[in-house]
Amino acid sequence: MKNYIIITNNPLVPTKLEDDSAVIYQDISYEDVLLHVRDRIHEGHRLLSHPLSGSVKPNETPYKSVMISVGKGEMDEGSLSIIENAIQACGKFVFRSDKYKPEVYDDFQLIDWTLIQSAIASADVL
């Protein structure tokens, strides 16, 4: 088993990883993904990927995948600060689904997958 969990609202991620990694997929908003990650940090998990990775703003995509530790310990203040700042930044942006044609969502999923795939590659080396 891997030493990380991926929390995502991107339906492409669990299909790409299948049983290779622990994935928590939920059909929720970008901001709700961040809130779920924050709750996990309060439980003692640590952030392993940045919640605003890739310079993709929350109003530019509906999908987000974040990597956290499997193990729990003391609440990590650094992880908490990063996720709280990401939640605050997310609140400044609104994703407007009416701006995009349905076929564009496949592209959004691929962009998010590419970003988390890079984090996975780094984590698997360690």
Side-chain angles (χ1 to χ4, degrees):
M1 183 52 94
K2 305 290 182 169
N3 61 351
Y4 53 81
I5 301 167
I6 298 169
I7 299 174
T8 187
N9 67 347
N10 182 349
L12 181 61
V13 172
T15 65
K16 290 285 192 179
L17 294 175
E18 296 176 6
D19 295 330
D20 190 40
S21 300
V23 177
I24 298 172
Y25 167 77
Q26 294 178 299
D27 185 13
I28 56 179
S29 71
Y30 187 119
E31 185 173 16
D32 286 339
V33 169
L34 299 181
L35 293 169
H36 185 113
V37 170
R38 184 196 57 197
D39 292 346
R40 292 299 188 108
I41 290 169
H42 280 286
E43 295 172 1
H45 296 275
R46 294 182 60 235
L47 274 177
L48 299 178
S49 69
H50 198 284
L52 297 177
S53 60
S55 299
V56 180
K57 295 181 183 78
N59 65 326
E60 296 172 337
T61 182
Y63 300 111
K64 189 70 212 160
S65 299
V66 180
M67 183 184 294
I68 62 171
S69 66
V70 167
K72 297 181 198 177
E74 295 286 321
M75 187 182 67
D76 181 58
E77 293 292 335
S79 293
L80 184 60
S81 176
I82 291 168
I83 196 67
E84 289 288 354
N85 287 334
I87 292 167
Q88 187 176 24
C90 187
K92 296 177 185 176
F93 300 99
V94 175
F95 179 79
R96 291 191 40 219
S97 59
D98 61 332
K99 267 175 45 172
Y100 302 103
K101 294 180 181 177
E103 55 271 16
V104 175
Y105 285 82
D106 290 341
D107 293 336
F108 289 143
Q109 291 174 21
L110 185 58
I111 291 166
D112 177 67
W113 163 245
T114 303
L115 292 169
I116 199 65
Q117 187 179 31
S118 175
I120 291 167
S122 296
D124 284 347
V125 170
L126 300 175

